[in-house]
Amino acid sequence: MSMNGPESAAEKASSNMMRLGLVAVAMSGVIAFYVLTGRVELNDPVEVTARIAQPATWTANAPLTLDVAVTLANNTDEAMPLSLPSQCDIFRWFVADEDHNLVQSQRNDEPCLDVPMKGNLDAKTSISGEFTLTLDPARVKPGDYILFLRYWGYELREPVTID
């Protein structure tokens, strides 16, 4: 005699939920094993990060500065070639409003050597640079902006709030 009542359906559903839970735990364990043993990397192969600080508050009478520390990381197992047509292109920036309208860009009169740059970034290493951006208080007022950065040819967009 087969039981097709509510108790039988509840037992089947409970059994199926238990199996599904065990499968999820097993899958999580396998994923954790591969990540923790380094067989799967969660980082991007090449990663650009930036720390941005505003050392002083905005005033209408003085230029505003932003301190920017940029890091380029090679997370691969092989050296990564770096090449730029000019040393002037190592770090480039511009500021846009939230609608992506240009507010201010880097001036081209900053000193640099206009010579080609070539090199390698070794595997599992990074390079960093620190830069001070001078913003015009007539263009950049308190509010929210997007800082577009390019470091060694790799781009990054960072939200910035001017106080």
Side-chain angles (χ1 to χ4, degrees), residues 64-144:
L64 176 69
T65 60
L66 294 178
D67 294 333
V68 178
V70 185
T71 301
L72 175 66
N74 177 4
N75 297 324
T76 68
D77 292 327
E78 298 179 11
M80 179 177 76
L82 297 176
S83 177
L84 293 171
S86 170
Q87 179 190 17
C88 306
D89 295 331
I90 290 175
F91 180 75
R92 306 296 293 169
W93 64 271
F94 69 90
V95 176
D97 63 17
E98 291 181 303
D99 295 326
H100 294 119
N101 297 311
L102 178 66
V103 175
Q104 183 178 344
S105 66
Q106 180 175 355
R107 295 170 40 171
N108 286 329
D109 61 355
E110 295 177 12
C112 71
L113 297 175
D114 194 15
V115 295
M117 299 293 295
K118 290 188 186 252
N120 285 316
L121 182 57
D122 291 335
K124 306 291 184 191
T125 61
S126 62
I127 55 174
S128 298
E130 295 186 10
F131 306 91
T132 299
L133 314 184
T134 304
L135 304 177
D136 182 354
R139 294 179 181 190
V140 180
K141 309 229 184 268
D144 293 326

